[in-house]
Amino acid sequence: MGSVIEIRGATKDYGKSRGVFDLSLEVGQGEVVGFLGANGAGKSVTMRMLMGFVRPRQGSVRIFGRDCFSGRAEIQKSVGYLPGELAFPGDMTAAALLRFTAAMAGIREGNCRCGCARGDELADFFELDVSAHVRSMSKGTRQKVGIVAAFMGRPQLLLLDEPTSGLDLLMQRRFVELVQAEKRRGTTILLSSHLLGEVEGTCDRAVFIRNGHVVYQAQAQELTLDSTLRQLYGPQALNRHWREVPAGNSSSGRTPGGKGGRR
């Protein structure tokens, strides 16, 4: 099985320990990999390097054997990307935005509401009102637009940055069904998340990133909540517990779970 994604020793340093450092990661053809990390761990930086939006200071980042920065125009034709923060024009309707996306991707079909038949099917599946303007949408509704845009071209590779952010439980379940269907189709998927259930339901294996470094890898079915928390936040994360301060003892200056101090 050849590698679709190859990251070798990539460093992108934004200062103050922000970025990624000597990062190496491979994702094989048809593999679904969960990329887990806390907020600020380096997940989105990695996704932006893969999309060719930023260039690593050191190391290499490749998709389909091409350098992601110099070859980004060709690579992006075969990639469906859902960014962690969506920035759509507020004055467009979802339908207009999706038709524009389909046209840019060269998949525009006839009089379809969303630019192509698959876009229409996905919009219906996620109960998306495509007549609404983006500015009036909730975060969850905008997320649905992003999902439809990423999936409607049947890309060979999907890069999904916290894809269920803002979705309710029913839409999260439908998203998992969609990813499972893409997995059966042989699509390669890198899915960044900090949600254990999302990774367990969709991924073959999980790669953990903390403070810009890959720290652990495991098969998805081997993960437990405690082991996931330790890898996301460090081994000390589970050592702090809530301790109720008895009534009348607040003058001691102690705080629940802390070492005390002046209030």
Side-chain angles (χ1 to χ4, degrees):
M1 179 175 62
S3 294
V4 173
I5 293 174
E6 294 179 276
I7 304 176
R8 300 188 184 279
T11 293
K12 183 65 178 179
D13 188 352
Y14 290 99
K16 298 183 179 180
S17 300
R18 295 178 299 123
V20 294
F21 308 94
D22 196 26
L23 181 75
S24 294
L25 171 67
E26 291 194 21
V27 180
Q29 174 67 48
E31 193 175 18
V32 181
V33 173
F35 194 42
L36 284 82
N39 293 333
K43 304 187 301 296
S44 294
V45 174
T46 304
M47 292 289 191
R48 288 195 289 269
M49 287 195 303
L50 287 166
M51 285 299 293
F53 299 152
V54 296
R55 171 185 270 170
R57 189 185 69 186
Q58 297 176 354
S60 64
V61 182
R62 295 181 176 274
I63 289 177
F64 307 125
R66 294 175 179 264
D67 179 83
C68 288
F69 191 79
S70 62
R72 59 189 180 276
E74 285 299 314
I75 289 171
Q76 290 174 12
K77 293 177 182 178
S78 302
V79 175
Y81 175 54
L82 179 63
E85 295 185 9
L86 295 167
F88 295 142
D91 59 346
M92 296 183 76
T93 65
L97 179 61
L98 292 168
R99 286 195 298 268
F100 174 77
T101 301
M104 291 293 292
I107 58 173
R108 185 76 183 265
E109 297 174 348
N111 296 319
C112 296
R113 292 172 300 146
C114 301
C116 64
R118 181 169 166 83
D120 288 357
E121 292 166 0
L122 288 165
D124 290 341
F125 183 61
F126 285 102
E127 301 179 24
L128 174 62
D129 177 7
V130 297
S131 67
H133 284 81
V134 171
R135 72 165 67 91
S136 68
M137 292 178 179
S138 67
K139 176 176 173 55
T141 303
R142 289 196 303 272
Q143 196 72 7
K144 293 178 185 180
V145 177
I147 290 170
V148 174
F151 281 79
M152 67 181 184
R154 292 187 172 88
Q156 299 176 48
L157 170 65
L158 283 160
L159 301 176
L160 308 173
D161 194 354
E162 300 192 2
T164 60
S165 177
L167 297 184
D168 62 32
L169 290 175
L170 178 59
M171 294 302 120
Q172 288 179 27
R173 177 171 178 171
R174 290 186 185 177
F175 174 81
V176 168
E177 289 181 20
L178 178 60
V179 171
Q180 290 171 340
E182 287 297 302
K183 181 178 178 179
R184 292 190 294 270
R185 194 171 69 85
T187 306
T188 305
I189 303 173
L190 180 64
L191 183 155
S192 86
S193 180
H194 52 255
L195 303 176
L196 177 59
E198 187 171 78
V199 172
E200 286 180 320
T202 57
C203 297
D204 300 308
R205 63 185 172 97
V207 176
F208 289 82
I209 182 171
R210 187 168 71 242
N211 298 326
H213 299 270
V214 170
V215 294
Y216 183 66
Q217 299 190 40
Q219 296 301 304
Q221 65 268 23
E222 297 174 358
L223 299 176
T224 65
L225 178 58
D226 282 1
S227 68
T228 297
L229 291 173
R230 288 191 185 96
Q231 297 303 332
L232 288 178
Y233 303 104
Q236 76 288 348
L238 301 183
N239 294 339
R240 188 169 187 176
H241 304 280
W242 176 259
R243 185 180 62 190
E244 190 71 38
V245 177
N249 287 356
S250 59
S251 60
S252 66
R254 289 193 172 273
T255 58
K259 295 181 179 180
R262 301 183 69 89
R263 293 169 67 91

